[in-house]
Each structure stands twice: as structure tokens, then as C-alpha cells.
Amino acid sequence: MTVYAIIGGTGLTQLEGLTIRQALHVDTPYGAPSGPLLKGVYAGHEVLFLARHGHPHRIPPHQVNYRANLWALKHAGATALLAVNAVGGIARSAGTGGFCVPHQVIDYTYGREHTFYEGELEHVTHVDFTHPYDEGLRQRLIAALREEGYVHEAQGVYGCTQGPRLETVAEIARMERDGCDIVGMTGMPEAVLARELALPYACLALVVNPAAGKSAGVITMAEIDRVLGEGIEKVKKVLVRMLLG
């Protein structure tokens, strides 16, 4: 039986409707995860939930201990990972309030602990990362979005920046030239660490603002919070629909 781990991003620090059976405080070789792993039942399925930024929301993207988070989830029994990410929209099709289920990623981050394969190794290991997201999980998320009737893009390129600051107009223009459709700060190294642990991984991205230069005004946290408040309720419905399907 598949045990899904849901990794909640900005706006999803707790999962209402989750019947919690156990809060797991897992020690890892990489330090402490962002918080306790909540093990329970959601939409009739055994799931694990972890708030990527902690609860309350306190850990910035560049300081998330991605290795500890992923190692802990696998150690606790997760066999597939569903990541929820708040992102900015670069492509015209990535409108605010809509969703994207990315099929590719470009990593612009630096200085993050991005692999389990380092230190005193018996041999060098390279993982194939041609297709960073699991296609089966992607298609299930897309089907759930379609069934709920939510505006979404069934593919896209996720550009992952360092944060915690937002990007400049020139940086977004560069990313657009590179082929990015959405921009976020937490998609990497999470995706590649999942691949190194052989855990199927997919991303449900909620577009919470136009990227820099893609609207007439400046980006405000008040507007992002407003979109998050509406969008997270949709996220929960999509997750329930997927699990029930």
C-alpha cells in the first residue's frame, strides 16, 4: 500500500481533516527535520504530513533542512511524496490563483546541502534526473485538478531561486529566456533528494503572485496572503480527490 507524505509549503503548515495518530520526532544523521512528522489518516488513507517551514511558519527557504526532512519521511514509512509549493507566475498561462503541475525544474540555488552522496563514500553515485517528477503522481494530480474544475497547467518548468528575497525584473526575464514558467524557492534540492532515496515525487504548485515585472505594481505580502487563503482550501480538495481516486 502506498503511504503518501504531504510536504506543506507556505500557507499549508497544518492539514485540517488529518486524524493524527502519532507525532513522530525523528532523529536523522543530518540533523532535525522542520518539525514533527504527523502520522494519521486523511481521506481514508494513511499519510504523513510535514510542514516544510515549520509550524508556525518560521524557517526560510534557504535554511530548510531538506536532507533531514526527506530522510525522516522515508524512515517513517513514506513511499511517495506530494509537495505543495507556493510560486510566482512567469508564463502568461500561469495566472494568479491557478495551479501548475511542473514536469521539469531548473535549479538556481547555491550553498544548500543538496545530496546524500558526500563525505566518506565507498564509491561515487550519480542518479538519473532526466525527468525530475514522477509521471504517475503527476497524472493523478492533474486528474484531481480537472475533476475539481480548477484552472491549471498540466506541465511547466519550475525555476528554483535561493530566496528569501523575491527576484528582480532582470532575473525573471532571464528565467523566462531559460524556459521557466513558474518561480519558487523550495523545489530544490527537495526533488533530487527524493530521487536519491528512490521516492516518487510530484509537485502541486499554487500560483500566488505574478513574478517581478509581470504586473504593473509591486508584489505585496498582503496580496500573496489573500491568494494563499483562497488557494489552500483548493489545495486540500485536490489532495483529497487524489487520495480518494
Side-chain angles (χ1 to χ4, degrees), residues 64 117 222:
V64 171
Y117 296 118

Side-chain angles (χ1 to χ4, degrees), residues 8-239:
T10 300
L12 190 62
T13 58
Q14 52 188 338
L15 192 61
E16 291 86 354
L18 173 66
T19 302
I20 301 173
R21 291 181 173 171
Q22 194 174 8
L24 305 174
H25 297 268
V26 182
D27 293 324
T28 87
Y30 308 98
S34 297
L37 313 185
L38 302 181
K39 188 174 186 178
V41 176
Y42 189 65
H45 285 259
E46 181 181 356
V47 301
L48 292 158
F49 177 76
L50 175 64
R52 184 187 291 114
H53 299 282
H55 180 60
H57 186 281
R58 60 182 178 81
I59 307 172
H62 66 296
Q63 291 187 325
V64 171
N65 192 337
Y66 296 94
R67 293 196 298 181
N69 287 353
L70 274 289
W71 191 95
L73 287 169
K74 180 162 185 176
H75 183 77
T79 59
L81 304 181
L82 299 174
V84 178
N85 300 76
V87 300
I90 298 176
R92 184 174 299 177
S93 58
T96 300
F99 291 91
C100 180
V101 184
H103 71 296
Q104 280 293 328
V105 65
I106 299 178
D107 189 5
Y108 298 95
T109 67
Y110 50 87
R112 301 185 181 189
E113 301 291 349
H114 64 279
T115 181
F116 293 109
Y117 296 118
E118 63 180 14
E120 296 296 325
L121 301 175
E122 293 183 3
H123 56 82
V124 175
T125 300
H126 304 282
V127 295
D128 179 79
F129 204 49
T130 305
H131 301 288
Y133 302 104
D134 181 81
E135 189 60 23
L137 289 181
R138 278 195 355 97
Q139 291 303 322
R140 292 193 65 189
L141 284 172
I142 293 164
L145 286 162
R146 187 182 304 119
E147 290 164 9
E148 288 293 333
Y150 295 148
V151 174
H152 66 279
E153 287 298 310
Q155 65 176 24
V157 178
Y158 182 133
C160 189
T161 58
Q162 179 71 358
R165 68 167 178 84
L166 299 176
E167 300 74 32
T168 68
V169 171
E171 287 169 334
I172 292 299
R174 172 202 175 191
M175 294 175 73
E176 188 168 28
R177 290 192 298 271
D178 287 349
C180 296
D181 298 292
I182 56 176
V183 55
M185 301 176 188
T186 54
M188 287 291 285
E190 200 171 82
V192 72
L193 292 171
R195 180 60 52 85
E196 288 187 352
L197 293 174
L199 287 170
Y201 176 93
C203 165
L204 176 62
L206 170 65
V207 182
V208 297
N209 62 275
K214 295 300 179 179
S215 65
V218 298
I219 300 169
T220 68
M221 289 309 301
E223 180 60 17
I224 289 174
D225 288 342
R226 184 191 68 78
V227 177
L228 272 171
E230 298 172 358
I232 288 301
E233 294 307 311
K234 295 180 180 179
V235 166
K236 295 171 187 174
K237 291 181 180 179
V238 171
L239 294 174

